[in-house]
Each structure stands twice: as C-alpha cells, then as structure tokens.
Amino acid sequence: MIELDDVAYSYSGVQLFFGVSLGLPAGSFHFLTGPSGAGKTTLLKLCYGELLATSGQVRLFGADARQHDRDQIALARRRIGVVHQDCQFLDHLSVTDNVALPLMAAGRTAQQEYDQVSDLLGWVGLSKQAGQFPPELSGGERQRAALARAVIMSPDVILADEPTGNLDWEMSQRLLRLLIELNKMGKTILVATHDLTLIRAAKAEVSTRVLRLRDGRLQLAGADL
Ligand SMILES: Nc1ncnc2c1ncn2[C@@H]1O[C@H](COP(=O)(O)OP(=O)(O)O)[C@@H](O)[C@H]1O
Ligand SMILES: [Mg+2]
C-alpha cells in the first residue's frame, strides 16, 4: 500500500530523519513510537503525500509520490483516511455534517450516503451526539468522530496520529478496539503513539509491528514492549 525507501526529511535544511525504509502491506497493523519531536507526524505526512521526501522514494499504491499529478494525489488521498492529532472540526456544523464532509466534497449527497454516516456514527458509539456540535463533545467523542470521518470514504489505509493522546484508559481502549476491528476488516493501519500500554493491549489481540523513530533513524522495536 505504502512504501518508503531510504527516505530522508529535512525542514529548512535541518535533517529530521534519514535512511528510513518502511513497508505497509495490505492488512498490516503498525505502531510508530518515539519521543516527542522525533518526526512521527512528519513521517505520517510523507505517508499520505502531504509532504514530499527530501531524498529517497515514497510509493503510494505502487506509484512514486513525487511523480503524482494532482488527480493521482487526490485519488491516493481518498484511499487513505487520516485521524489528525488535533481533530480539526468545523464547529458550526453538526457531528453528522462534519463526518459527512468528505462525501459532500466528493459530490455524494444522496440519502443513501447520509444513512451510511448514521451507520458509521452508530459504529463509533456517537448516535446520540449526531446532532451536536464539536465543541460539545468530550475528548473521547471527538476522537471517535474523527475516526468516523477518516473512514467515511472507505479508505484502504488508516493513519492515526496520537489518537489517544488526551484520553483516559477506558476511552483509549475503546478507540483501539475500533482500530482493531478495521484491521480485521482488512484495512491497513498505522498508529503514531507513545502510549506503550496501548501497544501492549493491541499486541494481545492482533499481530502488530512496532517501529521506533529516534535520533533520526527508524528501527523495529524489540521485545522490550
Ligand atoms: N513545518 C515545520 N517547519 C519546521 N519545523 C517543523 C515543522 N513541523 C515540524 N517541525 C519540527 O520537526 C520536528 C519533528 O516534528 P514532528 O514530526 O511533529 O514530531 P513528533 O510528531 O514525533 O512529535 C520538531 O522539532 C518540529 O518542531
Ligand atoms: Mg506528532
């Protein structure tokens, strides 16, 4: 699905990481850990084509991200659902409308599509909040709404950036269960987190690989987790 080959990234000449090679095969579940500032968010941005590698190659669904034209980028982005660290909702739109936004943007506004939104809100446990506005949601509810929005276009890949960052343990586990369910449906998952307890809980249920970004390098984390 997504492949990085000897990738380096620099912000204005300052190298953040280098020699990063990584494959996210279909149906795989990866965690990305590492200290704050190590470059986890940046690496995720390379994985959905928001940033281009300074050197090395990023392949999205088999094609070099650098060679993508606008249509190809749009197409690749549609196959990748992203749960951003800060959720970014439109506060004047209801939860339903926020989750439906990607459908609207794609011109899909039929009743059938709205039924799909309400099914999805049911799945993440937000049926009651469907008509509320984002500022009225708790942290856990926001994250689940963000996950619903990320999967509304039925992406093949889901990238989640510290989705449990501000959540208590019960809410974190609830979100993890949703991610595991998506993985069991065949979705490819990459979760950036420094919550090792969450990673251990996931390992008990699915086969995952844990990657660690530190000192500019990406390593496979060992059995110490
Ligand atoms: N747009 C940017 N311009 C310059 N530096 C940035 C930018 N975005 C992030 N950085 C820097 O790159 C480093 C890695 O950031 P980030 O990828 O967000 O790390 P992480 O998600 O692991 O905390 C940080 O030192 C951050 O300040
Ligand atoms: Mg980050």
Side-chain angles (χ1 to χ4, degrees):
M1 294 274 142
I2 297 177
E3 292 166 288
L4 276 65
D5 188 15
D6 198 20
V7 163
Y9 193 81
S10 308
Y11 283 110
S12 26
V14 182
Q15 194 168 62
L16 189 55
F17 48 72
F18 59 99
V20 169
S21 294
L22 161 69
L24 301 180
S28 62
F29 196 134
H30 285 82
F31 282 103
L32 175 62
T33 65
S36 183
K40 300 180 294 299
T41 298
T42 303
L43 191 61
L44 291 190
K45 285 180 176 171
L46 292 170
C47 289
Y48 63 91
E50 168 96 17
L51 293 174
L52 290 176
T54 309
S55 68
Q57 197 185 48
V58 176
R59 284 186 298 279
L60 306 180
F61 309 106
D64 188 340
R66 206 178 297 282
Q67 312 295 332
H68 277 42
D69 59 29
R70 286 170 67 121
D71 287 348
Q72 282 173 303
I73 292 173
L75 212 61
R77 292 239 181 111
R78 205 165 290 178
R79 295 181 66 183
I80 303 174
V82 185
V83 182
H84 295 278
Q85 204 160 355
D86 50 9
C87 294
Q88 299 163 334
F89 292 109
L90 295 179
D91 287 347
H92 62 285
L93 293 182
S94 68
V95 170
T96 296
D97 287 343
N98 268 285
V99 171
L101 264 183
L103 288 173
M104 303 290 209
R108 292 164 49 182
T109 54
Q111 182 58 41
Q112 214 179 326
E113 316 275 12
Y114 258 84
D115 292 345
Q116 192 193 333
V117 174
S118 99
D119 287 351
L120 200 47
L121 285 175
W123 176 67
V124 298
L126 290 179
S127 295
K128 276 197 212 134
Q129 288 79 8
Q132 291 186 351
F133 295 88
E136 301 167 340
L137 299 181
S138 72
E141 290 166 350
R142 283 179 79 84
Q143 286 295 346
R144 282 181 282 135
L147 182 62
R149 185 181 52 186
V151 300
I152 189 73
M153 300 296 282
S154 305
D156 299 311
V157 181
I158 292 131
L159 307 175
D161 197 358
E162 315 235 14
T164 62
N166 301 309
L167 305 187
D168 62 31
W169 178 236
E170 201 188 315
M171 277 304 145
S172 299
Q173 273 188 309
R174 187 160 180 184
L175 198 80
L176 175 66
R177 270 201 301 278
L178 294 172
L179 290 166
I180 290 174
E181 261 183 60
L182 287 167
N183 181 243
K184 288 186 171 159
M185 287 161 57
K187 310 283 186 193
T188 306
I189 314 274
L190 174 61
V191 181
T193 182
H194 40 236
D195 187 347
L196 299 187
T197 319
L198 189 78
I199 296 176
R200 285 192 206 104
K203 275 176 166 281
E205 293 202 41
V206 283
S207 147
T208 66
R209 286 211 309 166
V210 183
L211 308 161
R212 185 182 288 140
L213 198 51
R214 189 163 57 189
D215 303 329
R217 304 301 303 251
L218 186 74
Q219 302 156 333
L220 201 55
D224 53 321
L225 277 164

mmCIF file with all atom_site columns, all heavy atoms in Angstrom, residues 11 16 35-42, ligand 1:
data_model
loop_
_atom_site.group_PDB
_atom_site.id
_atom_site.type_symbol
_atom_site.label_atom_id
_atom_site.label_alt_id
_atom_site.label_comp_id
_atom_site.label_asym_id
_atom_site.label_entity_id
_atom_site.label_seq_id
_atom_site.pdbx_PDB_ins_code
_atom_site.Cartn_x
_atom_site.Cartn_y
_atom_site.Cartn_z
_atom_site.occupancy
_atom_site.B_iso_or_equiv
_atom_site.pdbx_formal_charge
_atom_site.auth_seq_id
_atom_site.auth_comp_id
_atom_site.auth_asym_id
_atom_site.auth_atom_id
_atom_site.pdbx_PDB_model_num
ATOM   1  N N   . TYR A 1 11 ? 13.536 19.885 7.457  1.00 0.00 ? 11 TYR A N   1
ATOM   2  C CA  . TYR A 1 11 ? 12.821 21.159 7.461  1.00 0.00 ? 11 TYR A CA  1
ATOM   3  C C   . TYR A 1 11 ? 13.868 22.248 7.325  1.00 0.00 ? 11 TYR A C   1
ATOM   4  O O   . TYR A 1 11 ? 14.779 22.325 8.153  1.00 0.00 ? 11 TYR A O   1
ATOM   5  C CB  . TYR A 1 11 ? 12.065 21.368 8.774  1.00 0.00 ? 11 TYR A CB  1
ATOM   6  C CG  . TYR A 1 11 ? 10.776 20.568 8.892  1.00 0.00 ? 11 TYR A CG  1
ATOM   7  C CD1 . TYR A 1 11 ? 10.682 19.504 9.785  1.00 0.00 ? 11 TYR A CD1 1
ATOM   8  C CD2 . TYR A 1 11 ? 9.656  20.880 8.124  1.00 0.00 ? 11 TYR A CD2 1
ATOM   9  C CE1 . TYR A 1 11 ? 9.494  18.780 9.922  1.00 0.00 ? 11 TYR A CE1 1
ATOM   10 C CE2 . TYR A 1 11 ? 8.469  20.156 8.249  1.00 0.00 ? 11 TYR A CE2 1
ATOM   11 C CZ  . TYR A 1 11 ? 8.396  19.116 9.154  1.00 0.00 ? 11 TYR A CZ  1
ATOM   12 O OH  . TYR A 1 11 ? 7.225  18.415 9.266  1.00 0.00 ? 11 TYR A OH  1
ATOM   13 N N   . LEU A 1 16 ? 15.735 15.810 9.843  1.00 0.00 ? 16 LEU A N   1
ATOM   14 C CA  . LEU A 1 16 ? 14.941 15.254 10.942 1.00 0.00 ? 16 LEU A CA  1
ATOM   15 C C   . LEU A 1 16 ? 15.173 13.744 11.049 1.00 0.00 ? 16 LEU A C   1
ATOM   16 O O   . LEU A 1 16 ? 15.368 13.206 12.129 1.00 0.00 ? 16 LEU A O   1
ATOM   17 C CB  . LEU A 1 16 ? 13.467 15.563 10.679 1.00 0.00 ? 16 LEU A CB  1
ATOM   18 C CG  . LEU A 1 16 ? 12.461 15.270 11.758 1.00 0.00 ? 16 LEU A CG  1
ATOM   19 C CD1 . LEU A 1 16 ? 12.826 15.955 13.064 1.00 0.00 ? 16 LEU A CD1 1
ATOM   20 C CD2 . LEU A 1 16 ? 11.077 15.737 11.295 1.00 0.00 ? 16 LEU A CD2 1
ATOM   21 N N   . PRO A 1 35 ? 10.102 9.581  20.873 1.00 0.00 ? 35 PRO A N   1
ATOM   22 C CA  . PRO A 1 35 ? 9.901  10.765 21.693 1.00 0.00 ? 35 PRO A CA  1
ATOM   23 C C   . PRO A 1 35 ? 9.256  11.903 20.900 1.00 0.00 ? 35 PRO A C   1
ATOM   24 O O   . PRO A 1 35 ? 9.295  11.922 19.672 1.00 0.00 ? 35 PRO A O   1
ATOM   25 C CB  . PRO A 1 35 ? 11.315 11.146 22.152 1.00 0.00 ? 35 PRO A CB  1
ATOM   26 C CG  . PRO A 1 35 ? 12.247 10.396 21.278 1.00 0.00 ? 35 PRO A CG  1
ATOM   27 C CD  . PRO A 1 35 ? 11.515 9.210  20.745 1.00 0.00 ? 35 PRO A CD  1
ATOM   28 N N   . SER A 1 36 ? 8.653  12.808 21.629 1.00 0.00 ? 36 SER A N   1
ATOM   29 C CA  . SER A 1 36 ? 8.059  13.992 21.038 1.00 0.00 ? 36 SER A CA  1
ATOM   30 C C   . SER A 1 36 ? 9.125  14.746 20.244 1.00 0.00 ? 36 SER A C   1
ATOM   31 O O   . SER A 1 36 ? 10.251 14.895 20.704 1.00 0.00 ? 36 SER A O   1
ATOM   32 C CB  . SER A 1 36 ? 7.503  14.846 22.179 1.00 0.00 ? 36 SER A CB  1
ATOM   33 O OG  . SER A 1 36 ? 6.865  15.947 21.652 1.00 0.00 ? 36 SER A OG  1
ATOM   34 N N   . GLY A 1 37 ? 8.796  15.157 19.036 1.00 0.00 ? 37 GLY A N   1
ATOM   35 C CA  . GLY A 1 37 ? 9.751  15.883 18.206 1.00 0.00 ? 37 GLY A CA  1
ATOM   36 C C   . GLY A 1 37 ? 10.617 14.984 17.342 1.00 0.00 ? 37 GLY A C   1
ATOM   37 O O   . GLY A 1 37 ? 11.439 15.461 16.552 1.00 0.00 ? 37 GLY A O   1
ATOM   38 N N   . ALA A 1 38 ? 10.450 13.659 17.465 1.00 0.00 ? 38 ALA A N   1
ATOM   39 C CA  . ALA A 1 38 ? 11.281 12.727 16.695 1.00 0.00 ? 38 ALA A CA  1
ATOM   40 C C   . ALA A 1 38 ? 10.922 12.733 15.210 1.00 0.00 ? 38 ALA A C   1
ATOM   41 O O   . ALA A 1 38 ? 11.728 12.354 14.361 1.00 0.00 ? 38 ALA A O   1
ATOM   42 C CB  . ALA A 1 38 ? 11.147 11.315 17.259 1.00 0.00 ? 38 ALA A CB  1
ATOM   43 N N   . GLY A 1 39 ? 9.687  13.145 14.903 1.00 0.00 ? 39 GLY A N   1
ATOM   44 C CA  . GLY A 1 39 ? 9.283  13.214 13.500 1.00 0.00 ? 39 GLY A CA  1
ATOM   45 C C   . GLY A 1 39 ? 8.138  12.283 13.123 1.00 0.00 ? 39 GLY A C   1
ATOM   46 O O   . GLY A 1 39 ? 7.909  12.030 11.939 1.00 0.00 ? 39 GLY A O   1
ATOM   47 N N   . LYS A 1 40 ? 7.378  11.810 14.109 1.00 0.00 ? 40 LYS A N   1
ATOM   48 C CA  . LYS A 1 40 ? 6.284  10.874 13.826 1.00 0.00 ? 40 LYS A CA  1
ATOM   49 C C   . LYS A 1 40 ? 5.228  11.512 12.919 1.00 0.00 ? 40 LYS A C   1
ATOM   50 O O   . LYS A 1 40 ? 4.819  10.919 11.923 1.00 0.00 ? 40 LYS A O   1
ATOM   51 C CB  . LYS A 1 40 ? 5.623  10.405 15.144 1.00 0.00 ? 40 LYS A CB  1
ATOM   52 C CG  . LYS A 1 40 ? 6.577  9.688  16.081 1.00 0.00 ? 40 LYS A CG  1
ATOM   53 C CD  . LYS A 1 40 ? 5.892  9.236  17.360 1.00 0.00 ? 40 LYS A CD  1
ATOM   54 C CE  . LYS A 1 40 ? 5.413  10.363 18.254 1.00 0.00 ? 40 LYS A CE  1
ATOM   55 N NZ  . LYS A 1 40 ? 6.477  11.248 18.744 1.00 0.00 ? 40 LYS A NZ  1
ATOM   56 N N   . THR A 1 41 ? 4.815  12.730 13.274 1.00 0.00 ? 41 THR A N   1
ATOM   57 C CA  . THR A 1 41 ? 3.796  13.409 12.469 1.00 0.00 ? 41 THR A CA  1
ATOM   58 C C   . THR A 1 41 ? 4.317  13.669 11.054 1.00 0.00 ? 41 THR A C   1
ATOM   59 O O   . THR A 1 41 ? 3.603  13.475 10.060 1.00 0.00 ? 41 THR A O   1
ATOM   60 C CB  . THR A 1 41 ? 3.372  14.730 13.150 1.00 0.00 ? 41 THR A CB  1
ATOM   61 O OG1 . THR A 1 41 ? 2.786  14.409 14.419 1.00 0.00 ? 41 THR A OG1 1
ATOM   62 C CG2 . THR A 1 41 ? 2.367  15.503 12.319 1.00 0.00 ? 41 THR A CG2 1
ATOM   63 N N   . THR A 1 42 ? 5.579  14.061 10.967 1.00 0.00 ? 42 THR A N   1
ATOM   64 C CA  . THR A 1 42 ? 6.196  14.310 9.660  1.00 0.00 ? 42 THR A CA  1
ATOM   65 C C   . THR A 1 42 ? 6.193  13.032 8.817  1.00 0.00 ? 42 THR A C   1
ATOM   66 O O   . THR A 1 42 ? 5.864  13.064 7.624  1.00 0.00 ? 42 THR A O   1
ATOM   67 C CB  . THR A 1 42 ? 7.637  14.815 9.856  1.00 0.00 ? 42 THR A CB  1
ATOM   68 O OG1 . THR A 1 42 ? 7.604  15.984 10.681 1.00 0.00 ? 42 THR A OG1 1
ATOM   69 C CG2 . THR A 1 42 ? 8.305  15.126 8.529  1.00 0.00 ? 42 THR A CG2 1
HETATM 70 N N1  . LIG B 2 .  ? 6.518  22.912 9.334  1.00 0.00 ? 1  LIG B N1  1
HETATM 71 C C1  . LIG B 2 .  ? 7.623  22.782 10.068 1.00 0.00 ? 1  LIG B C1  1
HETATM 72 N N2  . LIG B 2 .  ? 8.684  23.601 9.883  1.00 0.00 ? 1  LIG B N2  1
HETATM 73 C C2  . LIG B 2 .  ? 9.818  23.474 10.596 1.00 0.00 ? 1  LIG B C2  1
HETATM 74 N N3  . LIG B 2 .  ? 9.995  22.538 11.551 1.00 0.00 ? 1  LIG B N3  1
HETATM 75 C C3  . LIG B 2 .  ? 8.982  21.695 11.790 1.00 0.00 ? 1  LIG B C3  1
HETATM 76 C C4  . LIG B 2 .  ? 7.751  21.773 11.068 1.00 0.00 ? 1  LIG B C4  1
HETATM 77 N N4  . LIG B 2 .  ? 6.935  20.791 11.515 1.00 0.00 ? 1  LIG B N4  1
HETATM 78 C C5  . LIG B 2 .  ? 7.612  20.141 12.479 1.00 0.00 ? 1  LIG B C5  1
HETATM 79 N N5  . LIG B 2 .  ? 8.844  20.666 12.638 1.00 0.00 ? 1  LIG B N5  1
HETATM 80 C C6  . LIG B 2 .  ? 9.860  20.209 13.587 1.00 0.00 ? 1  LIG B C6  1
HETATM 81 O O1  . LIG B 2 .  ? 10.221 18.893 13.262 1.00 0.00 ? 1  LIG B O1  1
HETATM 82 C C7  . LIG B 2 .  ? 10.399 18.117 14.427 1.00 0.00 ? 1  LIG B C7  1
HETATM 83 C C8  . LIG B 2 .  ? 9.533  16.871 14.368 1.00 0.00 ? 1  LIG B C8  1
HETATM 84 O O2  . LIG B 2 .  ? 8.182  17.251 14.423 1.00 0.00 ? 1  LIG B O2  1
HETATM 85 P P1  . LIG B 2 .  ? 7.015  16.175 14.372 1.00 0.00 ? 1  LIG B P1  1
HETATM 86 O O3  . LIG B 2 .  ? 7.072  15.438 13.085 1.00 0.00 ? 1  LIG B O3  1
HETATM 87 O O4  . LIG B 2 .  ? 5.760  16.898 14.671 1.00 0.00 ? 1  LIG B O4  1
HETATM 88 O O5  . LIG B 2 .  ? 7.435  15.187 15.552 1.00 0.00 ? 1  LIG B O5  1
HETATM 89 P P2  . LIG B 2 .  ? 6.546  14.258 16.506 1.00 0.00 ? 1  LIG B P2  1
HETATM 90 O O6  . LIG B 2 .  ? 5.228  14.063 15.845 1.00 0.00 ? 1  LIG B O6  1
HETATM 91 O O7  . LIG B 2 .  ? 7.337  12.997 16.665 1.00 0.00 ? 1  LIG B O7  1
HETATM 92 O O8  . LIG B 2 .  ? 6.424  14.965 17.815 1.00 0.00 ? 1  LIG B O8  1
HETATM 93 C C9  . LIG B 2 .  ? 10.092 19.031 15.597 1.00 0.00 ? 1  LIG B C9  1
HETATM 94 O O9  . LIG B 2 .  ? 11.304 19.506 16.119 1.00 0.00 ? 1  LIG B O9  1
HETATM 95 C C10 . LIG B 2 .  ? 9.291  20.126 14.982 1.00 0.00 ? 1  LIG B C10 1
HETATM 96 O O10 . LIG B 2 .  ? 9.479  21.327 15.677 1.00 0.00 ? 1  LIG B O10 1
#
